[in-house]
Amino acid sequence: MLTAGALAWTLWQGLEQPGNALAFGAFIAVGELARWGALPGEREPAPLGAAGALAYALLGECAGRPTTHGVLQVVSVVVAAALAGAVPHVARGSGPALDHVARRVLTVGFAAACFQPLYNSGQLERWVGHGAYYALFLILLLLLTALCDAVLAAAMLHTRTRFPYPPLLRDELRALIGIGSAVCATGAVMALSVAVAGLWALPVFCVPLLLTQLSFRRYAAVRTTYLQTIASLARSTEIAGYTQPGHARRVAALSTAVGRELGLSGPDLTVLEYAALMHDIGQLSLVDPVPEGATALLPVAEQRRIALLGGAVVRQTGVPAAVAVVVEMQADPYREQPLPARIVRAVNAYDDLTGGSGGTAGGALGALEQLRLGTGRDYQPEVVESLARVLARGGLAPVQPG
């Protein structure tokens, strides 16, 4: 609705200072084109376009001359440029998600609504002038805009996944420290530079932000490769016939969902995912495989021996020590375990009891009932109930591997 209203208004009234609009529109379109090679799930696949959009929303002067564009023109230019830059990606079948586009429109609209009316009415100049207070005002406005974007992103994830909102918001706020801070800072500096040097400042800022984007993607690629290596190592128990095919990935996916349900975020979720993938690696030391790899059905002493052997193997892989601790404590009473170990143990037992596919609705319910019967020592009641809620949202079936 905001986009339709902005485009209609701009077409009716015409563009104010079309040279500025064209320059920033081209900058944003180039940023969208630079999405080539973006990794799936990347938080900000077009940082150059996002920074350009923020700069246009916060633009007060261009080479010393006041600007006259308003909020609706900002939204129109940003949307038109983003759509133009996304055409090649759409042709390849990898266009931006609609929720990401909506977030961009609302975030930029928020920044423009906070800045443009104050600037165009002259109130901003009377209140803060053009010195350090003006730059401080832009920084404060960018912080509010970043908070608005994080709130929107967490709300969209909550609506789509039904995970608790606070940990999702914490994840989004933590992400602002990385590429988000670079985008906000570049947008503010770009607006201040164009005010003094004119539109020639725009190409100057392309290079550093593109280099930042490249470095960020290399780092993300390394982390993806690292996770793939751990997943491949975890599959060694499946290849050797010790566990059911897909068991480690199912336990990791479902454990991560339960962890989010219980409020885990950031590094804690990473530790949980790695431990869930590698929780059965101690079975490689056994002479005879456990029937169907179901360690939850073994005596406690044997479970503890396998867990300690698995922890020793994990410590040799170079993953964080917290992962090995979670693996080593799989067979301990839940009151002595950290939360990730409690989650992995309950989810592993559920997958073992259902044979990996969840079975029928009765089989899944039966497995949950057995877990509830074990809450005196083996399984934390809160973890079991969180697992039940996650399964209920998925139709009482484990989350399938991606």
Side-chain angles (χ1 to χ4, degrees), residues 101-330:
V101 176
R103 238 178 72 205
R104 174 76 62 83
V105 170
L106 292 174
T107 301
V108 172
F110 174 83
C114 291
F115 178 83
Q116 292 296 332
L118 288 176
Y119 180 83
N120 291 333
S121 65
Q123 290 289 342
L124 186 59
E125 184 176 359
R126 287 192 291 270
W127 289 348
V128 301
H130 292 280
Y133 289 113
Y134 181 80
L136 186 61
F137 173 79
L138 288 185
I139 293 174
L140 177 61
L141 183 53
L142 282 172
L143 289 176
L144 290 175
T145 302
L147 179 61
C148 172
D149 184 66
V151 168
L152 287 173
M156 289 178 176
L157 281 173
H158 173 70
T159 302
R160 187 164 58 244
T161 64
R162 309 311 302 173
F163 291 140
Y165 184 78
L168 295 176
L169 181 59
R170 283 200 301 270
D171 275 350
E172 295 299 327
L173 292 176
R174 187 180 290 111
L176 293 178
I177 301 174
I179 193 69
S181 61
V183 170
C184 290
T186 305
V189 175
M190 195 183 304
L192 294 173
S193 300
V194 171
V196 176
L199 296 175
W200 289 107
L202 292 180
V204 174
F205 285 94
C206 282
V207 176
L209 197 56
L210 283 174
L211 291 176
T212 302
Q213 181 177 352
L214 179 61
S215 300
F216 178 80
R217 286 189 180 162
R218 286 183 176 177
Y219 170 73
V222 169
R223 289 196 61 180
T224 301
T225 302
Y226 187 54
L227 178 59
Q228 290 172 345
T229 302
I230 292 175
S232 298
L233 181 61
R235 288 194 65 236
S236 59
T237 57
E238 302 172 16
I239 296 172
Y242 284 85
T243 58
Q244 292 290 313
H247 171 72
R249 287 177 294 170
R250 288 193 301 271
V251 172
L254 195 49
S255 293
T256 302
V258 173
R260 285 193 178 276
E261 183 76 17
L262 289 169
L264 294 182
S265 62
D268 293 333
L269 276 180
T270 301
V271 169
L272 174 61
E273 183 178 15
Y274 289 175
L277 283 170
M278 305 181 74
H279 73 280
D280 269 334
I281 202 165
Q283 293 197 43
L284 292 175
S285 61
L286 301 178
V287 176
D288 297 317
V290 178
E292 297 184 351
T295 54
L297 306 179
L298 294 175
V300 173
E302 185 65 10
Q303 291 184 38
R304 182 172 289 112
R305 185 176 77 87
I306 294 174
L308 291 174
L309 290 170
V313 173
V314 171
R315 290 184 186 278
Q316 305 301 315
T317 63
V319 300
V323 177
V325 171
V326 172
V327 174
E328 288 172 342
M329 300 184 71
Q330 281 301 289

Side-chain angles (χ1 to χ4, degrees), residues 365-388:
L365 291 172
L368 286 173
E369 186 61 28
Q370 289 194 50
L371 294 184
R372 291 189 175 102
L373 292 175
T375 53
R377 176 191 183 278
D378 297 330
Y379 311 112
Q380 184 181 14
E382 293 80 4
V383 171
V384 175
E385 296 311 312
S386 295
L387 172 62

